[in-house]
Amino acid sequence: MQANDQSWDLVIEPGRSEKNYWNDLWRYRELFYILSWRDIKVRYKQTVIGAAWSIIRPLLTTIIFTFVFSRVAKLQNPGDAPYALMVFAGMLPWQFFSNALSESSNSLVGNANLITKVYFPRMIIPASSVITSLVDFAISFLILLGMCIWYQYLPSWQIIFLPLFILFAFICAFGVGLYLTAVNVKYRDFRYIIPFIIQFGLYITPIGFSSSVIPEQYRLLYSLNPMVGVIDGFRWCILGDPMHWQSFFVSMGISILFLWIGVRYFRKMEKTFADSI
Amino acid sequence: MISHEGRERYKALRDEISQAAAGWLGRSTKQKKTKEEFWALKDVSFEVDKGDRVGIIGRNGAGKSTLLKIISRITEPTQGRISIKGRVASLLEVGTGFHPELTGRENIFLNGAILGMSRREIRAKLDEIIAFAEVEKFLDTPVKRYSSGMYVRLAFSVAAHLEPEILVVDEVLAVGDAAFQKKCLGKMEDVSQNEGRTVLFVSHNMGVVSQLCNKGILLSQGQVKLQGEMKKVVDAYLRSDDAQQQYRLKDPGQKKNYFTAIDIVNTKGEVQSDFAFDEPMTLRFSFLIQEPANGLQIGIGLEDKFNTRVFTILREIEYFDASDGTVHGEVELPASLIAPNTYSFVFAIWTRSGKVYDLQSGICPVTIHDNGTEYALYEGVDYGNVIIQPKWSSPKA
């Protein structure tokens, strides 16, 4: 019996899901909304101060970083903004990135019961946990506004480009997150490696200091860390700090490459998730 | 409609993680490759028409769940193809995706979305779902505070109100209390018979399968052994090698007191699994008692194909001669009593205080054939499990 493809709603055969992948992703968008909503809803359940955590964590880190890098190490801000504001403009995307990374890398394992029982494009799960981190990001963004008022600092006009850099941060977090999620399903070792990557990144990424302290000849090498471009962009937008465009494009290229690798690897591994989780 | 042809599935049984770890330690070159091919399903072809209620039965590991997983797209087949017309929803486990921190109402939406309903559909059916689950009062309580019964009721209720053209069900009915189970069965029948949905149902409970399904597929070691009318498939399963014809102990494990062999024999002492209605049936069994206890006894029960007990007989252990280790016993069941049908036995060793040492159920299937009772006309009709010879009379006023 040779079934004609048109007369069937669904044909299952090896490799078939590859072809309908992006269609399916669109068809399951409702599930994506509802999973994101669930993650946001339960994120701060049974905590006393709830969503205030997404304000307190970056704020305290910023205070410590400002003290250490500005007062103890006596580093200078190349622009005219207060040092704390510069630190926070870097802390904001970094917190988003690190949250997204740790949330999404555990998301598939945490939703194992769904994966082994129901079909849907698996990419929905890490994507919805990145969205959750984006909500945290939006809340912390309010502190930035508060700090601007406190320091009576008027952000530069470039702030209108900020959404682009948020998108850039999203691409960066999603790409790396996808890859780590997929590896984590198979090799649970990554559960221990990821916190380490995040801690490591906190120091090699220009959060407590401006990337302009990096010697010029190492600048391009330094911007292989995609978050360098994101943070530089944030500082350019908010504080009007000078922008090193060359290294920015390197960072952007790297994060798009990560996204490509992430999506490819994720889709390659996706078929075996139900078996190996 | 589902059509299904020559679908095969490949599974490599290997522990890649340990292999990779070994690789990192540089030992992989010395290690032999431990790949082993195993086909969970091979050359399975069948067609299901719209409105069919198909029961898929077979022993553990026969490939039933793998088949459902492939149909519901959880895993991808290695070879072959399945063509489906209509929306498929799978109920592989009730309450999939329930989040304990969310309230009942929120979980209805979440679970509905996971099972493939749109928010609009859920909203339209919300009242019906809540009423069916009987949880009105606790709708805004997090489900982690629900009793397990309430939890299951809510979960099943969401699933039962799905409206897919094809419903794939894997043993979800073994939940809740008896009253709710009955309600679930009713709902399942409603869905399949009155609303004309196609249902694929996997279960070990032959009774539920026979009640619910009109067609059956018997899987054995990843292959279709028989398909056709449900009743015939159930009978075939009960009499197949898959259900054990004779009981032989393979590995006592931790057991101290246990059966070593059980046979059903005819009057000539030959092992047999088909008996005539008026033919006496003798159970011959051997067991071993290594841990004597007070009130130790053996019990034998007969069950029909719906796992309903027909009778139970007991004997205290002291009755048997245990002089040479393994104890042998025989019991002859009266002829012309058990109604023609298919049955299986339950054998147990336990103490009167309730400690069970060995329990073997569903063993030694036998079929009793009608050889001329007055009920022969009614073959296939449920007229009970025993035929008795009552004393009738018709006294005048």
Side-chain angles (χ1 to χ4, degrees), chain A residues 1 3 5 7-15 17 24 30 34 37 41-42 45-46 114-115 117-119 186 271 274-275, chain B residues 3 5 16-17 70-78 80-86 93 99 101 106 109 113-114 119 144:
Chain A
M1 184 195 62
D5 274 9
S7 65
W8 302 102
D9 291 343
L10 175 68
V11 175
I12 302 169
E13 58 187 354
S17 62
D24 264 4
E30 191 124 347
I34 213 147
W37 164 82
K41 188 112 188 170
V42 297
K45 276 270 164 95
Q46 222 163 38
L114 276 190
I115 286 164
K117 297 288 186 296
V118 198
Y119 168 78
K186 217 168 177 199
K271 281 174 273 179
D275 296 324
Chain B
S3 137
E5 47 189 280
E16 274 191 81
I17 295 176
I70 290 173
I71 291 174
S72 49
R73 295 212 280 167
I74 293 162
T75 46
E76 202 174 56
T78 335
R81 128 205 211 103
I82 304 173
S83 310
I84 299 173
K85 198 165 185 127
E93 197 176 83
H99 197 290
E101 295 284 355
E106 288 165 343
F109 281 92
I114 287 166
R119 265 174 297 182
K144 65 176 176 184

Short mmCIF file of all heavy atoms in Angstrom, two decimals, chain A residues 1 3 5 7-15 17 24 30 34 37 41-42 45-46 114-115 117-119 186 271 274-275, chain B residues 3 5 16-17 70-78 80-86 93 99 101 106 109 113-114 119 144:
data_model
loop_
_atom_site.label_atom_id
_atom_site.label_comp_id
_atom_site.label_asym_id
_atom_site.label_seq_id
_atom_site.Cartn_x
_atom_site.Cartn_y
_atom_site.Cartn_z
N MET A 1 0.84 -1.19 0.00
CA MET A 1 0.00 0.00 0.00
C MET A 1 0.88 1.25 0.00
O MET A 1 1.66 1.47 0.91
CB MET A 1 -0.89 -0.02 1.24
CG MET A 1 -1.85 1.12 1.28
SD MET A 1 -2.52 1.29 2.93
CE MET A 1 -1.05 1.63 3.83
N ALA A 3 0.73 4.90 0.49
CA ALA A 3 -0.15 5.99 0.90
C ALA A 3 0.31 7.29 0.23
O ALA A 3 1.50 7.59 0.18
CB ALA A 3 -0.11 6.13 2.40
N ASP A 5 0.86 11.05 0.24
CA ASP A 5 1.14 11.97 1.34
C ASP A 5 0.02 12.97 1.59
O ASP A 5 -0.25 13.34 2.71
CB ASP A 5 2.43 12.74 1.05
CG ASP A 5 3.62 11.95 1.54
OD1 ASP A 5 3.41 10.77 1.92
OD2 ASP A 5 4.73 12.49 1.54
N SER A 7 -3.18 12.67 1.37
CA SER A 7 -4.41 12.22 2.00
C SER A 7 -4.23 11.97 3.50
O SER A 7 -5.18 11.71 4.19
CB SER A 7 -4.91 10.96 1.32
OG SER A 7 -3.99 9.92 1.54
N TRP A 8 -3.00 12.06 3.99
CA TRP A 8 -2.76 11.84 5.42
C TRP A 8 -2.43 13.14 6.10
O TRP A 8 -1.80 14.02 5.54
CB TRP A 8 -1.61 10.85 5.61
CG TRP A 8 -1.86 9.55 4.94
CD1 TRP A 8 -1.34 9.13 3.75
CD2 TRP A 8 -2.69 8.49 5.40
NE1 TRP A 8 -1.80 7.88 3.45
CE2 TRP A 8 -2.63 7.46 4.44
CE3 TRP A 8 -3.49 8.32 6.54
CZ2 TRP A 8 -3.34 6.27 4.58
CZ3 TRP A 8 -4.19 7.14 6.67
CH2 TRP A 8 -4.11 6.14 5.69
N ASP A 9 -2.88 13.25 7.35
CA ASP A 9 -2.55 14.44 8.11
C ASP A 9 -1.14 14.37 8.66
O ASP A 9 -0.48 15.37 8.85
CB ASP A 9 -3.52 14.60 9.30
CG ASP A 9 -4.91 14.93 8.82
OD1 ASP A 9 -5.03 15.35 7.66
OD2 ASP A 9 -5.87 14.76 9.60
N LEU A 10 -0.74 13.16 8.94
CA LEU A 10 0.55 13.02 9.59
C LEU A 10 1.21 11.73 9.11
O LEU A 10 0.57 10.69 9.06
CB LEU A 10 0.35 12.96 11.11
CG LEU A 10 1.58 12.69 11.96
CD1 LEU A 10 2.53 13.87 11.88
CD2 LEU A 10 1.18 12.42 13.38
N VAL A 11 2.45 11.85 8.70
CA VAL A 11 3.18 10.65 8.30
C VAL A 11 4.41 10.58 9.19
O VAL A 11 5.14 11.55 9.32
CB VAL A 11 3.58 10.71 6.82
CG1 VAL A 11 4.44 9.53 6.46
CG2 VAL A 11 2.34 10.74 5.95
N ILE A 12 4.56 9.45 9.83
CA ILE A 12 5.72 9.28 10.70
C ILE A 12 6.68 8.33 10.02
O ILE A 12 6.31 7.21 9.68
CB ILE A 12 5.30 8.69 12.07
CG1 ILE A 12 4.28 9.60 12.75
CG2 ILE A 12 6.51 8.48 12.95
CD1 ILE A 12 3.63 8.95 13.96
N GLU A 13 7.87 8.77 9.77
CA GLU A 13 8.90 7.88 9.28
C GLU A 13 10.24 8.50 9.65
O GLU A 13 10.29 9.66 10.01
CB GLU A 13 8.77 7.65 7.77
CG GLU A 13 8.82 8.89 6.94
CD GLU A 13 8.50 8.63 5.47
OE1 GLU A 13 8.35 7.46 5.09
OE2 GLU A 13 8.43 9.60 4.73
N PRO A 14 11.30 7.71 9.58
CA PRO A 14 12.58 8.26 10.01
C PRO A 14 12.92 9.53 9.23
O PRO A 14 12.79 9.57 8.02
CB PRO A 14 13.58 7.14 9.73
CG PRO A 14 12.80 5.97 9.30
CD PRO A 14 11.38 6.32 9.19
N GLY A 15 13.33 10.55 9.95
CA GLY A 15 13.77 11.77 9.30
C GLY A 15 12.65 12.70 8.93
O GLY A 15 12.88 13.82 8.49
N SER A 17 10.32 14.17 10.83
CA SER A 17 10.09 15.32 11.71
C SER A 17 11.05 16.46 11.39
O SER A 17 10.76 17.62 11.64
CB SER A 17 10.23 14.90 13.17
OG SER A 17 11.53 14.44 13.42
N ASP A 24 6.00 22.75 12.93
CA ASP A 24 5.55 22.21 14.21
C ASP A 24 5.78 23.20 15.33
O ASP A 24 4.94 23.38 16.20
CB ASP A 24 6.31 20.92 14.53
CG ASP A 24 5.52 19.71 14.11
OD1 ASP A 24 4.45 19.89 13.51
OD2 ASP A 24 5.99 18.59 14.37
N GLU A 30 1.18 27.75 21.36
CA GLU A 30 0.35 27.88 22.54
C GLU A 30 0.99 27.18 23.75
O GLU A 30 0.98 27.69 24.85
CB GLU A 30 -1.01 27.27 22.26
CG GLU A 30 -2.01 27.58 23.33
CD GLU A 30 -3.26 28.25 22.76
OE1 GLU A 30 -3.25 28.68 21.59
OE2 GLU A 30 -4.22 28.34 23.47
N ILE A 34 2.24 28.77 27.35
CA ILE A 34 1.75 28.28 28.63
C ILE A 34 2.90 27.73 29.49
O ILE A 34 2.89 27.88 30.71
CB ILE A 34 0.60 27.27 28.42
CG1 ILE A 34 -0.40 27.36 29.56
CG2 ILE A 34 1.09 25.86 28.27
CD1 ILE A 34 -1.81 27.09 29.16
N TRP A 37 4.59 30.77 30.88
CA TRP A 37 3.73 31.30 31.94
C TRP A 37 3.89 30.47 33.21
O TRP A 37 4.00 31.00 34.31
CB TRP A 37 2.29 31.29 31.43
CG TRP A 37 1.25 31.44 32.50
CD1 TRP A 37 0.83 32.59 33.06
CD2 TRP A 37 0.52 30.38 33.12
NE1 TRP A 37 -0.13 32.32 34.00
CE2 TRP A 37 -0.34 30.97 34.06
CE3 TRP A 37 0.50 28.99 32.97
CZ2 TRP A 37 -1.21 30.23 34.85
CZ3 TRP A 37 -0.35 28.25 33.75
CH2 TRP A 37 -1.19 28.87 34.68
N LYS A 41 5.35 31.75 36.70
CA LYS A 41 4.43 31.66 37.83
C LYS A 41 5.05 30.91 39.03
O LYS A 41 4.85 31.29 40.17
CB LYS A 41 3.18 30.92 37.37
CG LYS A 41 2.08 30.91 38.36
CD LYS A 41 0.91 31.74 37.89
CE LYS A 41 -0.08 31.87 39.01
NZ LYS A 41 -1.13 32.82 38.75
N VAL A 42 5.76 29.84 38.75
CA VAL A 42 6.27 29.04 39.86
C VAL A 42 7.66 29.47 40.31
O VAL A 42 8.18 28.97 41.30
CB VAL A 42 6.32 27.53 39.53
CG1 VAL A 42 4.92 27.02 39.29
CG2 VAL A 42 7.21 27.26 38.36
N LYS A 45 7.56 30.88 43.78
CA LYS A 45 6.58 30.33 44.70
C LYS A 45 7.27 29.88 45.98
O LYS A 45 8.38 29.35 45.93
CB LYS A 45 5.86 29.13 44.06
CG LYS A 45 4.70 29.53 43.17
CD LYS A 45 3.38 29.62 43.95
CE LYS A 45 2.33 30.39 43.19
NZ LYS A 45 1.45 29.56 42.42
N GLN A 46 6.62 30.07 47.07
CA GLN A 46 7.13 29.67 48.37
C GLN A 46 8.46 30.32 48.72
O GLN A 46 9.31 29.74 49.37
CB GLN A 46 7.23 28.14 48.47
CG GLN A 46 6.75 27.66 49.82
CD GLN A 46 6.45 26.18 49.84
OE1 GLN A 46 7.14 25.39 49.24
NE2 GLN A 46 5.42 25.81 50.56
N LEU A 114 7.56 15.19 30.99
CA LEU A 114 6.87 15.64 29.78
C LEU A 114 7.49 15.02 28.54
O LEU A 114 6.79 14.59 27.63
CB LEU A 114 7.01 17.16 29.63
CG LEU A 114 6.03 18.02 30.38
CD1 LEU A 114 6.17 19.45 29.91
CD2 LEU A 114 4.63 17.54 30.09
N ILE A 115 8.80 15.00 28.52
CA ILE A 115 9.49 14.56 27.32
C ILE A 115 9.26 13.09 27.03
O ILE A 115 9.13 12.69 25.87
CB ILE A 115 10.99 14.89 27.45
CG1 ILE A 115 11.13 16.40 27.28
CG2 ILE A 115 11.83 14.16 26.44
CD1 ILE A 115 12.42 16.94 27.74
N LYS A 117 6.60 11.49 27.77
CA LYS A 117 5.18 11.16 27.65
C LYS A 117 4.45 11.84 26.50
O LYS A 117 3.45 11.32 26.03
CB LYS A 117 4.45 11.53 28.95
CG LYS A 117 4.93 10.75 30.16
CD LYS A 117 4.45 9.32 30.10
CE LYS A 117 4.78 8.57 31.37
NZ LYS A 117 6.20 8.43 31.61
N VAL A 118 4.89 12.99 26.09
CA VAL A 118 4.14 13.74 25.08
C VAL A 118 5.08 14.25 24.00
O VAL A 118 6.23 14.57 24.27
CB VAL A 118 3.43 14.97 25.72
CG1 VAL A 118 2.34 15.47 24.80
CG2 VAL A 118 2.86 14.65 27.07
N TYR A 119 4.54 14.33 22.80
CA TYR A 119 5.34 14.90 21.73
C TYR A 119 5.12 16.40 21.62
O TYR A 119 4.00 16.88 21.70
CB TYR A 119 5.00 14.27 20.38
CG TYR A 119 5.62 15.05 19.24
CD1 TYR A 119 6.97 14.88 18.95
CD2 TYR A 119 4.90 15.99 18.53
CE1 TYR A 119 7.57 15.63 17.96
CE2 TYR A 119 5.49 16.74 17.54
CZ TYR A 119 6.82 16.56 17.25
OH TYR A 119 7.42 17.31 16.29
N LYS A 186 22.45 14.12 27.97
CA LYS A 186 23.22 12.91 27.80
C LYS A 186 24.32 12.77 28.84
O LYS A 186 24.51 11.71 29.40
CB LYS A 186 23.84 12.92 26.41
CG LYS A 186 23.87 11.54 25.82
CD LYS A 186 24.19 11.59 24.37
CE LYS A 186 24.28 10.19 23.83
NZ LYS A 186 25.00 10.18 22.58
N LYS A 271 15.97 13.72 18.87
CA LYS A 271 15.28 12.46 18.62
C LYS A 271 15.53 11.44 19.72
O LYS A 271 14.71 10.57 19.96
CB LYS A 271 15.76 11.88 17.29
CG LYS A 271 15.10 12.54 16.11
CD LYS A 271 15.71 12.04 14.82
CE LYS A 271 16.91 12.85 14.44
NZ LYS A 271 17.57 12.42 13.23
N ALA A 274 13.99 11.31 24.48
CA ALA A 274 13.05 10.47 25.22
C ALA A 274 13.70 9.18 25.69
O ALA A 274 13.33 8.62 26.71
CB ALA A 274 11.83 10.16 24.36
N ASP A 275 14.71 8.72 24.96
CA ASP A 275 15.35 7.47 25.34
C ASP A 275 16.48 7.69 26.34
O ASP A 275 16.73 6.85 27.19
CB ASP A 275 15.93 6.77 24.11
CG ASP A 275 14.85 6.36 23.14
OD1 ASP A 275 13.76 5.98 23.62
OD2 ASP A 275 15.07 6.44 21.93
N SER B 3 -2.70 4.01 9.38
CA SER B 3 -2.17 2.89 8.63
C SER B 3 -0.71 2.77 8.96
O SER B 3 -0.02 3.74 9.18
CB SER B 3 -2.40 3.14 7.15
OG SER B 3 -1.26 2.80 6.43
N GLU B 5 2.84 0.43 8.50
CA GLU B 5 3.43 -0.65 7.71
C GLU B 5 4.92 -0.83 7.97
O GLU B 5 5.64 0.14 8.09
CB GLU B 5 3.21 -0.36 6.22
CG GLU B 5 3.56 1.05 5.86
CD GLU B 5 3.15 1.40 4.45
OE1 GLU B 5 3.91 1.02 3.56
OE2 GLU B 5 2.12 2.03 4.26
N GLU B 16 26.61 4.87 26.72
CA GLU B 16 27.56 5.76 26.09
C GLU B 16 28.29 6.63 27.09
O GLU B 16 29.42 7.04 26.86
CB GLU B 16 26.84 6.64 25.08
CG GLU B 16 26.71 5.98 23.74
CD GLU B 16 26.24 6.96 22.71
OE1 GLU B 16 27.11 7.70 22.22
OE2 GLU B 16 25.05 7.00 22.42
N ILE B 17 27.57 6.94 28.17
CA ILE B 17 28.20 7.86 29.12
C ILE B 17 29.44 7.24 29.71
O ILE B 17 30.50 7.84 29.74
CB ILE B 17 27.20 8.27 30.22
CG1 ILE B 17 26.07 9.05 29.56
CG2 ILE B 17 27.88 9.08 31.30
CD1 ILE B 17 24.97 9.44 30.49
N ILE B 70 5.86 5.44 19.45
CA ILE B 70 6.15 5.83 18.08
C ILE B 70 4.94 6.50 17.45
O ILE B 70 5.05 7.52 16.79
CB ILE B 70 6.63 4.62 17.27
CG1 ILE B 70 8.02 4.21 17.75
CG2 ILE B 70 6.68 4.95 15.79
CD1 ILE B 70 8.52 2.95 17.16
N ILE B 71 3.76 5.94 17.72
CA ILE B 71 2.55 6.53 17.15
C ILE B 71 2.33 7.94 17.70
O ILE B 71 1.92 8.83 16.99
CB ILE B 71 1.33 5.63 17.42
CG1 ILE B 71 1.45 4.34 16.61
CG2 ILE B 71 0.04 6.34 17.04
CD1 ILE B 71 0.41 3.32 16.90
N SER B 72 2.64 8.13 18.98
CA SER B 72 2.45 9.46 19.52
C SER B 72 3.70 10.33 19.36
O SER B 72 3.79 11.39 19.97
CB SER B 72 2.02 9.38 20.98
OG SER B 72 2.85 8.51 21.70
N ARG B 73 4.64 9.89 18.55
CA ARG B 73 5.80 10.66 18.13
C ARG B 73 6.79 11.01 19.24
O ARG B 73 7.56 11.95 19.11
CB ARG B 73 5.35 11.98 17.46
CG ARG B 73 4.60 11.73 16.18
CD ARG B 73 4.85 12.83 15.21
NE ARG B 73 4.04 14.00 15.49
CZ ARG B 73 4.24 15.19 14.95
NH1 ARG B 73 5.25 15.37 14.13
NH2 ARG B 73 3.46 16.18 15.21
N ILE B 74 6.77 10.26 20.31
CA ILE B 74 7.73 10.55 21.36
C ILE B 74 9.12 10.07 20.95
O ILE B 74 10.11 10.72 21.18
CB ILE B 74 7.29 9.90 22.69
CG1 ILE B 74 6.04 10.60 23.17
CG2 ILE B 74 8.37 10.02 23.74
CD1 ILE B 74 5.27 9.84 24.17
N THR B 75 9.15 8.91 20.31
CA THR B 75 10.42 8.48 19.72
C THR B 75 10.20 8.26 18.24
O THR B 75 9.09 7.99 17.79
CB THR B 75 10.96 7.19 20.34
OG1 THR B 75 9.89 6.27 20.43
CG2 THR B 75 11.52 7.42 21.70
N GLU B 76 11.28 8.38 17.50
CA GLU B 76 11.17 8.26 16.05
C GLU B 76 11.58 6.85 15.64
O GLU B 76 12.51 6.28 16.18
CB GLU B 76 12.10 9.28 15.40
CG GLU B 76 11.69 9.61 14.00
CD GLU B 76 12.54 10.73 13.42
OE1 GLU B 76 13.77 10.59 13.41
OE2 GLU B 76 11.97 11.74 12.99
N PRO B 77 10.83 6.26 14.69
CA PRO B 77 11.22 4.92 14.24
C PRO B 77 12.52 4.97 13.44
O PRO B 77 12.86 6.00 12.86
CB PRO B 77 10.05 4.49 13.36
CG PRO B 77 9.44 5.76 12.88
CD PRO B 77 9.65 6.75 13.98
N THR B 78 13.25 3.86 13.42
CA THR B 78 14.47 3.79 12.63
C THR B 78 14.13 3.49 11.18
O THR B 78 14.83 3.91 10.27
CB THR B 78 15.38 2.66 13.15
OG1 THR B 78 15.08 2.42 14.50
CG2 THR B 78 16.81 3.05 13.02
N GLY B 80 10.61 2.24 8.40
CA GLY B 80 9.18 2.05 8.25
C GLY B 80 8.41 3.35 8.25
O GLY B 80 9.00 4.43 8.27
N ARG B 81 7.09 3.24 8.24
CA ARG B 81 6.31 4.46 8.15
C ARG B 81 4.92 4.26 8.73
O ARG B 81 4.34 3.19 8.68
CB ARG B 81 6.31 4.90 6.70
CG ARG B 81 5.02 5.19 6.06
CD ARG B 81 5.19 4.99 4.56
NE ARG B 81 4.32 5.90 3.85
CZ ARG B 81 4.73 7.01 3.27
NH1 ARG B 81 5.98 7.36 3.31
NH2 ARG B 81 3.90 7.78 2.66
N ILE B 82 4.39 5.33 9.31
CA ILE B 82 3.04 5.33 9.85
C ILE B 82 2.32 6.51 9.23
O ILE B 82 2.85 7.62 9.22
CB ILE B 82 3.05 5.52 11.38
CG1 ILE B 82 3.90 4.45 12.05
CG2 ILE B 82 1.64 5.49 11.93
CD1 ILE B 82 4.09 4.68 13.51
N SER B 83 1.14 6.27 8.71
CA SER B 83 0.35 7.38 8.17
C SER B 83 -0.90 7.52 9.00
O SER B 83 -1.58 6.54 9.29
CB SER B 83 -0.03 7.11 6.72
OG SER B 83 1.12 6.74 5.99
N ILE B 84 -1.20 8.73 9.38
CA ILE B 84 -2.31 8.98 10.29
C ILE B 84 -3.20 10.07 9.73
O ILE B 84 -2.71 11.07 9.21
CB ILE B 84 -1.79 9.41 11.68
CG1 ILE B 84 -0.92 8.32 12.28
CG2 ILE B 84 -2.94 9.75 12.61
CD1 ILE B 84 -0.24 8.71 13.55
N LYS B 85 -4.48 9.86 9.82
CA LYS B 85 -5.42 10.90 9.44
C LYS B 85 -6.18 11.32 10.69
O LYS B 85 -6.85 10.51 11.32
CB LYS B 85 -6.39 10.37 8.40
CG LYS B 85 -7.09 11.47 7.66
CD LYS B 85 -7.75 10.94 6.41
CE LYS B 85 -8.34 12.11 5.65
NZ LYS B 85 -7.90 12.16 4.29
N GLY B 86 -6.08 12.57 11.05
CA GLY B 86 -6.77 13.05 12.24
C GLY B 86 -5.78 13.43 13.32
O GLY B 86 -4.60 13.11 13.25
N GLU B 93 0.04 8.74 30.53
CA GLU B 93 0.01 8.70 31.99
C GLU B 93 -0.84 9.87 32.41
O GLU B 93 -0.67 10.97 31.90
CB GLU B 93 1.42 8.87 32.55
CG GLU B 93 1.55 8.46 33.97
CD GLU B 93 2.99 8.56 34.40
OE1 GLU B 93 3.39 9.67 34.75
OE2 GLU B 93 3.70 7.55 34.38
N HIS B 99 1.82 20.62 37.59
CA HIS B 99 2.83 21.24 38.44
C HIS B 99 2.27 21.38 39.85
O HIS B 99 1.23 22.00 40.03
CB HIS B 99 3.26 22.59 37.89
CG HIS B 99 4.55 23.06 38.47
ND1 HIS B 99 4.65 23.45 39.77
CD2 HIS B 99 5.78 23.14 37.95
CE1 HIS B 99 5.91 23.77 40.01
NE2 HIS B 99 6.62 23.59 38.92
N GLU B 101 2.86 23.20 42.34
CA GLU B 101 2.69 24.52 42.94
C GLU B 101 1.49 25.27 42.36
O GLU B 101 1.04 26.25 42.93
CB GLU B 101 3.94 25.38 42.70
CG GLU B 101 5.19 24.89 43.40
CD GLU B 101 5.20 25.19 44.88
OE1 GLU B 101 4.27 25.86 45.36
OE2 GLU B 101 6.14 24.75 45.56
N GLU B 106 -5.31 26.28 37.22
CA GLU B 106 -4.14 26.55 36.38
C GLU B 106 -3.63 25.27 35.74
O GLU B 106 -3.22 25.26 34.58
CB GLU B 106 -3.05 27.21 37.22
CG GLU B 106 -3.36 28.64 37.59
CD GLU B 106 -2.48 29.18 38.70
OE1 GLU B 106 -1.83 28.38 39.42
OE2 GLU B 106 -2.44 30.40 38.87
N PHE B 109 -5.45 24.18 32.60
CA PHE B 109 -4.98 24.85 31.38
C PHE B 109 -3.64 24.32 30.93
O PHE B 109 -3.41 24.07 29.75
CB PHE B 109 -4.92 26.36 31.61
CG PHE B 109 -6.27 27.01 31.51
CD1 PHE B 109 -7.06 27.20 32.62
CD2 PHE B 109 -6.78 27.40 30.27
CE1 PHE B 109 -8.32 27.77 32.53
CE2 PHE B 109 -8.04 27.97 30.16
CZ PHE B 109 -8.81 28.15 31.29
N ALA B 113 -3.06 22.17 27.54
CA ALA B 113 -2.16 22.63 26.48
C ALA B 113 -1.15 21.55 26.14
O ALA B 113 -0.82 21.34 24.97
CB ALA B 113 -1.44 23.90 26.92
N ILE B 114 -0.68 20.85 27.17
CA ILE B 114 0.30 19.79 26.92
C ILE B 114 -0.32 18.67 26.10
O ILE B 114 0.30 18.11 25.20
CB ILE B 114 0.85 19.27 28.26
CG1 ILE B 114 1.80 20.30 28.85
CG2 ILE B 114 1.58 17.95 28.06
CD1 ILE B 114 2.15 20.07 30.28
N ARG B 119 -6.39 27.09 24.28
CA ARG B 119 -6.97 27.71 25.46
C ARG B 119 -8.47 27.89 25.31
O ARG B 119 -9.23 27.76 26.25
CB ARG B 119 -6.32 29.08 25.71
CG ARG B 119 -5.19 28.98 26.70
CD ARG B 119 -4.49 30.29 26.82
NE ARG B 119 -3.87 30.67 25.54
CZ ARG B 119 -3.15 31.77 25.35
NH1 ARG B 119 -2.96 32.60 26.34
NH2 ARG B 119 -2.61 32.03 24.19
N LYS B 144 -0.58 20.39 45.03
CA LYS B 144 0.26 19.62 45.97
C LYS B 144 -0.48 19.35 47.28
O LYS B 144 -0.09 18.48 48.03
CB LYS B 144 1.58 20.34 46.24
CG LYS B 144 1.44 21.66 46.94
CD LYS B 144 2.82 22.23 47.25
CE LYS B 144 2.68 23.61 47.88
NZ LYS B 144 3.98 24.23 48.11
#
